[in-house]
Amino acid sequence: MTEANLPLIQIADLTKVFYTDEIETHALSGVHLSIAKGEYVAMSGPSGCGKSTLLSIIGLLDTPTAGRYQLNTKPVENLDFAERARIRNQEIGFIFQSFNLIGDLTVYENVELPLTYRQRMPSADRKKRVMEALERVGMAHRLRHYPSQLSGGQQQRVAVARALAGKPSILLADEPTGNLDSRNGEAVMELLSDLHREGATICMVTHDPRFAKHAQREVHLFDGKVVAEEELHKLMQDAQV
Amino acid sequence: MTGILQDLRFALRQFRKSPGFTAVSIITLALGIGATTGIFSVVDTVLLHSAPYARSAELVAIDEKAPTTVPGETSEVSAGDFMDWQAQVPVFAGVAAYQPWEFHALTGGGDPDEVWASPVTPNLFQVLGVNAFLGRMFAPNETEAVVLSHQYWRSHFSSDPRILGKVLALDGKFYRVIGIAPADFEFPAANAQMWIPLTFSAADRANHKDRNLSVVARLNPSVTLRQAQAVMDTVAARLAAQYPKANSGWSIHVAPFRNPVIHGILRDTIFALLGAVIFMLMIVCSNVASMLLARGTAREGEIAVRAALGASRARLVLQLVVESVLLAAAAGVGGVILARSGLAVIISLVPKYNLVETQALNHISMNLAAFGFATALSCLTGIGVGLLPALRASRVSVSEWLKEHGRAAAGARRARLQSALVTCEIAFALVLLVGASLMTQSFRRIAATPTGFDPDHLLTVRVPLLNYKYSPPQSADFYRDVLTRIRSIPGVRSAGMANNLPFTGFHVSLALPSPQTGSPGGTVEAAGRGVSPGYFQAMGIPFVEGRDFTEAENRIDAPCVRIVNQAMARLYWRGEDAVGRQLPAVCPKGASAAIVGVVADSKQDSIESQTKPELYEPYAQHPFASFLVTFAVRTASDPLDVAMAVRQAVQQVDNDQPVIQLRSMQEVISESIWRQQVSASLLGIFAAIALVLAAVGIYGVISYSVSRRTHELGIRSALGATRRDVLELVVRDGLRLTLIGVVAGITLALGLTRTLRSLLFGVTSTDPVTFVGMIVLLVATALLACYIPARRAAKVDPMVALRYE
C-alpha cells in the first residue's frame, strides 16, 4: 500500500471507559474504523451509542482508554495537550451541532480564530484564507456581523467556514443540522456534499437517516461497537422488544 | 415591616450558606469603614469640634489696632483699657481677659513638674459659659486658686477627685485647686494645663500703654456685632482723648470669637489622610459591589423564581439591599473596633513633649459623633454597594432565564459593570500608592538629612529653672554647678546646656542690623541661642574657626563675645575670617560683640527647614527664657543609662527643681518628625490595603470572566488554542483593565498629589521615578492576580466545556 492510499484515519480496538464514582461506563468497546482521504463517512446510531465520543476522540478532544489511533499515519492516541491542540488546529475542522461561534467576535473574527493560533501566519494570509472560506459558504457579505445577528443556518455556514479556513485534513461534523430547521438543514448538507465533491474528507455524526444518505459510507454504532446495518436493525428491534 | 424581617432572616441564612463570601465582604467593608471612622474622629476632634461655650454666637474677641498695624494682624489690649471696657461698656454682658500661657514650676503635687498655666480674669469661665467638670470655677476677686485641665488632672493626678482643695505651688506661690475643667475645654489652646487668676495692681489699672492681654466678651442678647463695634468706636475716641500718649490713633475692633487655628501643616496632613481613606473607602465599595454583582449572577435562578411568583422589581431590589445593609452593619461593628484600636495606636505615637504641633491630638477619641458617623457610614455604604448590583440582578428576564437560564446577555452586562468597578479600584489604588510612596520617600529623606550635630549617644534633659528662687547671676551659678556634677558622672564624655534645644518646637528669633554689604538701615533675622561652654562639644557641632566660650566669658559682667554659625559668617563677612570681627548692636545697651568662633551650620527648627544665620551667646551674659533650658549630655554608651544620675545631679543642687523630658537626642529628632512618620505609615497601610483590594478585585473580575467564558474557552481550545494561548488571552484581558485603570490613576494622581506639596521634602509631587515604580508595582500585582484564574482557564477541558456526551 502506497502512502497516498493509506487511510487518513485508522482506529483499531479503541475503547473508552468513563468512570463516575464507582460506576464504569463503556462508551466505546473495541472499535475498528478506517477513513480514507476524500471519503465522506456518516456515523449513526441511537442516542448514547457512543458516536459523539468516537467523534471527539477522532477530533483529539478526548483520549481513548485503550486502542490505537493513527491520523495521517501518525499515532495520536497518547499525545500531550499542546500537541493535540496543534494537530486540532492544523489537521481538523470542527462543525458543531450548536455552531459554537463566539458571541463577542464578528463573523470575520470567528473564522479567523483558528488561524490566530498558528504561529507566524501573516495577517495577509489569514485574511485571504478567511475571505476564501466565507465566500465558499456564501457569507462574505456578513463579515462584520455578530453571530446573534444571523439566522441559525447562517451561523452554521459561518461555522463551516471556520472549519474550512484552516484547510484541515478532515472535517468533523457533530449533528450539524441538529439545531436547524429542515430547509436550513438541507442547505448545510448540500454545502458539505459540495465540499466533499471538491475533495474534502468528512466524518459526520447524525441520527437522521435522511442526512446520513448524503455520505458515501455509513458507519453504525450500537452500545459502543461498530455494527453492520442489518445487525443494527436487528439489535434495535431486540432492544425495543 | 414583616417583609423586611423576612428579608433579614433570609439574608442571615444566605450568609450562613456562603461563609467565605460573607467573611471577605465584612472584613473588606470593615477596613474601609474603620479607617474612615478613625480619620473622621481625628478631623472631628482637631478641626471640626466646636468649643463647649454657651451660646457661642454671642462671644466676641476685642483687640486694639495701631495706625501702623498691618491689616489682618491683631494687637493685644492694655490692662487700663480693659478695665475701662469692663466698667463702662454696657453692650457686653461680660468682658474677660487672659494671657496665652506662662511656664511655671509646679511643686507640692508629686514630682516637681513644669506646667503651662494660662492667667485668666476670674470672670472668664462665666463669660464663656463653661462650668466645672468637678468642683467650681473662680469666684470674683479670687486670687489664690487654680483650675486644672481635665487632661492634666488625668495624666498627672490620675483623675483623683481628692485633688480638690489641695494646695499646689506654682513658682513658689500657693494656689488651691478648686475645680477641674470639662474634658473638651481647651482655652486658649489645647496645651493649657491649668488656669490661674489674672489680677491687676493699681499700676496695671492705670497702664494704657503696655498691651499684653487678649480680651473676650459676651454681647448682651439684644446687641448686634455692628452695634457693639459702633459703641467701641466711641470708646476708642474717648480713650484717645483721655490718654492721648497711649491711645491716640488706636482703634478697637470687635470680631466673632473663634477657636485658635490649628497648625497649618497638621491640618494639611489630616486632610491628606482624609483624602486617602475616602479613596480607600471607594476601593472597598467597588470591591464589595463587584462581589455582589458576581453573586447576583449565581442567584439569577432564585430571583427569576421570585419574579415569576409575583415579586415586583422594587421588592426584589429591597430584598437585595437589605442583605448588603446587613453586611455593612456587621462591618460597621468591626470598623468601630478597628477605628478604636487604630486611634489608640495613633495617640500612642503622638509625641509627649512636642509643645506646638500636637494641639488637640491627645483628645482624639471615639466619641458619640464618631459612633454616629460610623452608623451613618455603614448604612450608606450598605446601600451604596448593594443598590447597583440589586438593580442589575432584579432586571433578570424571567421567560429568558426559565428557557435558557438567560446567561449570556445578563452576564455580559454585569461583566462590563464589574470591569468598570475594578478599573476605578485600580485608578484609586494607584493614587494611594503614589501618595504613600511620595510621603514615605519624603520621610526617609528627612530622616537621612544631616542635622549638623551628632545625635548618637546624646542625652537631653530639660531643667526649667525655678525663676522665683534664682536671680540671673544665681541661675548661671546653678547651671554651672549642675554641669560640673553631670560632667563628673561616669560614662559622661561631655555636657553643655542651651536655653533651648533644636527641634523642640521653640526658637528665639533675633532682628540684627543688616551687614554693611546688605540693604542699609534694614534688619536680618537670625536664630539666637544662649549656650554654656562645652555645648558645641556635647552636641558634636564642630568649630570651623576660633574657639568655644570660656568659663570666664560665661559671666554677666564678662566682655560681650559671640559665636556664629557659617551661614551668619557668610552673610556678614562673605567668606573672610569672622573671628576677631565686631558684630554691632547685639549686646546690652547696643554694644558690639567680639566674634570668638564660627561653628558649622546645624538645623534649628526642624530637619526640613533651611538653616538660618545663628548667633550663640554665653548663657550667663543673657539668661533669658530659662523655662526651656535643656542639658545636652554626650555619653559613652546608651544615653538613658545615665539619666538617673543626671536627675540626681540636678536634685543634689536643688531638690525642688523639676527635671523633665529625659530622653535621647534620637528621640527628640524622632518626635520632631513624628507627623511625617505617622502620615507616611498610615498612608502606607492604606495603600497596601488598596493594593491588596485592587488585586482581589481584578482577581474576582477575571475569575468571574473565566467562569462565564468556560464555553468560549472550550471552543477556542477545540479550535487549537494551546494552554499558553488561553493563558495569554485571559491575562491580556486583565492587563487591559489594569492599563485603563492606570491611565485614569495617573491623571488623578497628577492632580491630587499636588495637594501634598506642602508635606513633601526632597521629592516633587510629580516625581517620575515614584510614578513609574508604583505603576510597575500595581501592574505586576494585577498580573499576578490575573495569573491564578488564567491558569484555571488554561486547564479548561474542551470536552467538558463543550459538554460532549
Side-chain angles (χ1 to χ4, degrees):
Chain A
M1 195 179 267
T2 63
E3 196 172 315
N5 294 331
L6 285 172
L8 180 68
I9 285 170
Q10 191 154 27
I11 285 170
D13 205 16
L14 197 80
T15 302
K16 179 68 181 177
V17 183
F18 291 106
Y19 298 93
T20 46
D21 295 330
E22 291 173 1
I23 301 164
E24 269 187 26
T25 307
H26 289 257
L28 298 171
S29 307
V31 171
H32 294 267
L33 178 67
S34 184
I35 299 173
K37 200 169 183 184
E39 200 175 7
Y40 185 174
V41 177
M43 287 195 286
S44 60
S47 186
C49 68
K51 53 189 185 296
S52 287
T53 303
L54 180 57
L55 195 76
S56 65
I57 289 172
I58 293 171
L60 298 182
L61 290 172
D62 205 353
T63 51
T65 309
R68 293 182 302 283
Y69 171 23
Q70 287 191 333
L71 177 64
N72 268 334
T73 72
K74 291 188 183 78
V76 292
E77 68 271 14
N78 291 319
L79 296 177
D80 64 13
F81 188 95
E83 191 57 17
R84 282 194 285 140
R86 189 190 65 76
I87 293 175
R88 275 202 301 275
N89 181 251
Q90 295 184 352
E91 305 285 350
I92 296 164
F94 284 103
I95 302 163
F96 301 100
Q97 177 180 347
S98 52
F99 326 135
N100 281 336
L101 299 175
I102 294 174
D104 292 336
L105 302 182
T106 62
V107 164
Y108 181 92
E109 289 164 339
N110 264 290
V111 177
E112 188 191 29
L113 191 60
L115 305 181
T116 61
Y117 297 130
R118 292 189 184 180
Q119 288 182 350
R120 291 189 289 278
M121 186 170 198
S123 66
D125 288 359
R126 289 207 303 267
K127 186 175 180 185
K128 185 166 169 277
R129 293 255 197 118
V130 172
M131 292 314 295
E132 278 173 4
L134 283 171
E135 276 162 17
R136 178 67 195 82
V137 301
M139 289 299 293
H141 61 299
R142 293 288 171 97
L143 51 90
R144 291 190 204 288
H145 285 62
Y146 285 91
S148 59
Q149 296 170 306
L150 304 177
S151 69
Q154 286 174 320
Q155 286 191 46
Q156 193 59 301
R157 278 153 65 190
V158 173
V160 173
R162 182 178 64 186
L164 289 175
K167 296 194 174 164
S169 303
I170 186 166
L171 287 175
L172 300 180
D174 186 8
E175 301 276 11
T177 57
N179 278 6
L180 300 175
D181 58 30
S182 58
R183 191 170 62 83
N184 276 312
E186 198 54 53
V188 167
M189 292 315 298
E190 284 302 326
L191 180 58
L192 291 179
S193 296
D194 289 349
L195 291 170
H196 173 240
R197 277 193 288 278
E198 290 162 18
T201 309
I202 300 172
C203 179
M204 175 180 69
V205 163
T206 181
H207 66 273
D208 191 331
R210 288 175 301 146
F211 296 135
K213 298 287 181 225
H214 282 82
Q216 280 175 307
R217 176 158 69 99
E218 211 172 336
V219 174
H220 303 284
L221 276 105
F222 191 86
D223 280 350
K225 291 182 178 141
V226 176
V227 294
E229 189 173 3
E230 299 75 25
E231 192 183 354
L232 177 69
H233 290 311
K234 185 175 176 300
L235 286 167
M236 287 187 75
Q237 276 171 357
D238 290 349
Q240 280 168 356
V241 171
Chain B
M1 193 63 194
T2 315
I4 289 183
L5 283 175
Q6 273 177 349
D7 289 345
L8 281 171
R9 273 197 298 272
F10 182 74
L12 288 172
R13 235 179 6 247
Q14 288 285 316
F15 296 157
R16 272 201 301 273
K17 264 175 62 184
S18 327
F21 162 81
T22 308
V24 171
S25 305
I26 290 176
I27 290 169
T28 308
L29 284 171
L31 284 172
I33 293 170
T36 312
T37 304
I39 298 300
F40 168 81
S41 298
V42 177
V43 171
D44 180 51
T45 311
V46 181
L47 302 179
L48 301 179
H49 187 68
S50 56
Y53 310 138
R55 303 184 309 283
S56 56
E58 291 174 2
L59 292 175
V60 290
I62 312 175
D63 64 12
E64 296 185 308
K65 283 188 170 63
T68 53
T69 305
V70 178
E73 199 174 278
T74 56
S75 295
E76 293 179 322
V77 177
S78 66
D81 289 354
F82 165 70
M83 298 305 293
D84 182 278
W85 302 346
Q86 211 178 30
Q88 299 194 31
V89 181
V91 290
F92 301 117
V95 184
Y98 60 94
Q99 289 174 327
W101 44 260
E102 291 174 350
F103 281 103
H104 293 279
L106 171 77
T107 48
D111 286 337
D113 194 13
E114 179 201 54
V115 293
W116 290 41
S118 180
V120 301
T121 53
N123 66 336
L124 178 99
F125 297 104
Q126 185 198 342
V127 168
L128 294 176
V130 174
N131 296 316
F133 170 74
L134 212 61
R136 62 173 177 85
M137 298 308 200
F138 298 127
N141 303 318
E142 193 162 21
T143 55
E144 291 174 352
V146 61
V147 173
L148 303 181
S149 78
H150 194 279
Q151 207 240 338
Y152 193 69
W153 174 58
R154 201 176 59 218
S155 62
H156 198 75
F157 299 106
S158 310
S159 303
D160 182 1
R162 289 171 299 178
I163 191 68
L164 290 179
K166 291 208 170 150
V167 175
L168 303 177
L170 295 176
D171 284 350
K173 196 174 165 193
F174 297 104
Y175 295 85
R176 187 173 299 281
V177 180
I178 59 161
I180 312 296
D184 53 357
F185 181 70
E186 296 167 347
F187 186 93
N191 288 323
Q193 293 168 317
M194 52 187 67
W195 297 270
I196 53 174
L198 175 63
T199 53
F200 302 106
S201 63
D204 291 332
R205 289 164 192 267
N207 187 341
H208 291 265
K209 194 179 167 199
D210 297 325
R211 292 175 163 85
N212 58 3
L213 296 177
S214 299
V215 175
V216 59
R218 181 174 290 278
L219 293 171
N220 272 320
S222 57
V223 177
T224 65
L225 191 68
R226 191 185 290 256
Q227 288 168 332
Q229 181 61 62
V231 170
M232 293 312 282
D233 288 342
T234 314
V235 169
R238 176 171 56 77
L239 287 170
Q242 272 182 290
Y243 311 103
K245 276 190 179 171
N247 286 54
S248 182
W250 284 77
S251 58
I252 302 171
H253 287 258
V254 184
F257 182 74
R258 290 198 174 86
N259 280 337
V261 176
I262 291 297
H263 205 276
I265 204 81
L266 181 61
R267 195 183 55 231
D268 291 351
T269 306
I270 292 172
F271 279 132
L273 291 174
L274 183 65
V277 290
I278 289 172
F279 270 95
M280 196 176 119
L281 184 66
M282 288 196 283
I283 293 171
V284 161
C285 289
S286 302
N287 213 296
V288 176
S290 191
M291 284 195 279
L292 288 171
L293 276 170
R295 194 169 154 79
T297 310
R299 292 177 61 184
E300 269 179 354
E302 172 213 325
I303 291 162
V305 170
R306 284 177 184 272
L309 294 175
S312 67
R313 190 162 176 226
R315 185 72 191 75
L316 290 171
V317 169
L318 180 68
Q319 181 206 329
L320 294 169
V321 169
V322 162
E323 289 181 18
S324 60
V325 170
L326 194 61
L327 274 180
V333 174
V336 166
I337 294 168
L338 272 178
R340 278 179 71 106
S341 319
L343 284 177
V345 173
I346 291 175
I347 292 165
S348 72
L349 295 173
V350 173
K352 293 179 190 71
Y353 308 127
N354 188 312
L355 301 174
V356 176
E357 273 197 18
T358 57
Q359 288 176 30
L361 289 176
N362 285 309
H363 305 273
I364 297 166
S365 63
M366 283 288 296
N367 54 21
L368 204 60
F371 280 110
F373 176 82
T375 308
L377 184 65
S378 302
C379 287
L380 281 175
T381 307
I383 295 169
V385 299
L387 192 59
L388 203 57
L391 287 170
R392 287 283 190 210
S394 63
R395 207 185 279 176
V396 64
S397 162
V398 180
S399 58
E400 196 180 325
W401 190 88
L402 292 176
K403 270 193 291 184
E404 299 178 44
H405 296 270
R407 203 174 285 168
R413 271 205 307 274
R414 285 197 187 96
R416 277 199 295 276
L417 193 57
Q418 270 187 295
S419 299
L421 287 172
V422 87
T423 303
C424 292
E425 278 185 54
I426 287 165
F428 296 152
L430 183 61
V431 174
L432 277 179
L433 282 170
V434 169
S437 176
L438 287 173
M439 294 293 278
T440 306
Q441 286 180 74
S442 181
F443 170 68
R444 282 193 183 146
R445 284 174 202 207
I446 288 171
T449 300
T451 55
F453 54 83
D454 179 5
D456 293 330
H457 297 111
L458 190 58
L459 180 76
T460 72
V461 51
R462 276 187 60 205
V463 184
L465 193 67
L466 299 171
N467 283 322
Y468 67 97
K469 284 173 77 173
Y470 297 93
S471 67
Q474 286 172 327
S475 72
D477 290 340
F478 168 82
Y479 286 126
R480 198 174 290 116
D481 192 0
V482 171
L483 269 177
T484 305
R485 288 170 188 271
I486 290 174
R487 284 174 184 145
S488 65
I489 294 170
V492 171
R493 288 192 165 160
S494 57
M497 54 147 284
N499 64 347
N500 67 76
L501 219 55
F503 302 165
T504 52
F506 284 88
H507 67 268
V508 176
S509 281
L510 304 173
L512 300 181
S514 272
Q516 296 299 316
T517 50
S519 55
T523 57
V524 292
E525 192 189 327
R529 184 159 283 137
V531 300
S532 71
Y535 169 79
F536 299 105
Q537 187 189 1
M539 289 290 285
I541 301 173
F543 272 88
V544 178
E545 197 186 334
R547 60 166 175 81
D548 197 356
F549 298 127
T550 62
E551 283 298 340
E553 287 162 342
N554 190 32
R555 295 190 178 280
I556 199 159
D557 52 354
C560 189
V561 291
R562 298 288 184 265
I563 291 170
V564 295
N565 69 351
Q566 285 176 295
M568 187 130 179
R570 274 195 302 274
L571 179 70
Y572 275 85
W573 299 290
R574 302 209 156 202
E576 293 173 22
D577 289 349
V579 172
R581 304 262 188 172
Q582 293 289 314
L583 192 62
V586 294
C587 294
K589 298 178 186 170
S592 297
I595 304 301
V596 296
V598 178
V599 291
D601 288 339
S602 58
K603 299 282 185 177
Q604 293 132 352
D605 296 340
S606 64
I607 296 178
E608 310 105 288
S609 63
Q610 291 291 320
T611 306
K612 288 183 205 152
E614 186 159 19
L615 184 67
Y616 297 95
E617 56 192 359
Y619 173 77
Q621 288 193 4
H622 192 187
F624 58 89
S626 57
F627 54 85
L628 287 171
V629 163
T630 308
F631 287 93
V633 184
R634 183 156 298 280
T635 59
S637 57
D638 184 349
L640 294 177
D641 289 349
V642 300
M644 282 310 295
V646 169
R647 182 188 290 276
Q648 284 164 2
V650 178
Q651 288 174 343
Q652 280 164 7
V653 180
D654 185 340
N655 198 39
D656 286 342
Q657 179 61 51
V659 181
I660 57 174
Q661 299 177 13
L662 275 153
R663 53 189 174 149
S664 70
M665 184 49 104
Q666 289 290 11
E667 282 178 72
V668 174
I669 293 174
S670 293
E671 288 206 348
S672 78
I673 53 177
W674 71 278
R675 180 181 47 75
Q676 293 90 333
Q677 186 176 16
V678 168
S679 51
S681 306
L682 284 178
L683 273 176
I685 292 168
F686 297 153
I689 293 171
L691 184 65
V692 171
L693 290 181
V696 169
I698 199 154
Y699 168 83
V701 166
I702 299 299
S703 287
Y704 174 65
S705 167
V706 165
S707 64
R708 202 175 54 83
R709 293 171 69 185
T710 303
H711 183 66
E712 177 203 321
L713 297 173
I715 296 170
R716 287 176 181 271
S717 188
L719 296 176
T722 60
R723 285 185 170 153
R724 188 192 169 89
D725 290 325
V726 175
L727 194 102
E728 282 177 3
L729 174 80
V730 175
V731 170
R732 209 162 40 234
D733 279 358
L735 193 60
R736 184 174 50 80
L737 286 181
T738 306
L739 291 179
I740 294 170
V742 163
V743 170
I746 291 171
T747 315
L748 264 178
L750 280 172
L752 291 173
T753 51
R754 283 165 199 271
T755 59
L756 295 178
R757 272 181 189 162
S758 65
L759 306 175
L760 298 179
F761 175 77
V763 60
T764 63
S765 62
T766 53
D767 178 45
V769 176
T770 304
F771 271 75
V772 170
M774 291 305 104
I775 289 167
V776 169
L777 175 66
L778 186 59
V779 171
T781 308
L783 283 178
L784 195 66
C786 295
Y787 180 72
I788 301 163
R791 261 185 53 150
R792 204 168 58 235
K795 287 181 183 165
V796 165
D797 184 340
M799 273 296 292
V800 176
L802 297 171
R803 294 171 188 228
Y804 269 86
E805 287 291 336

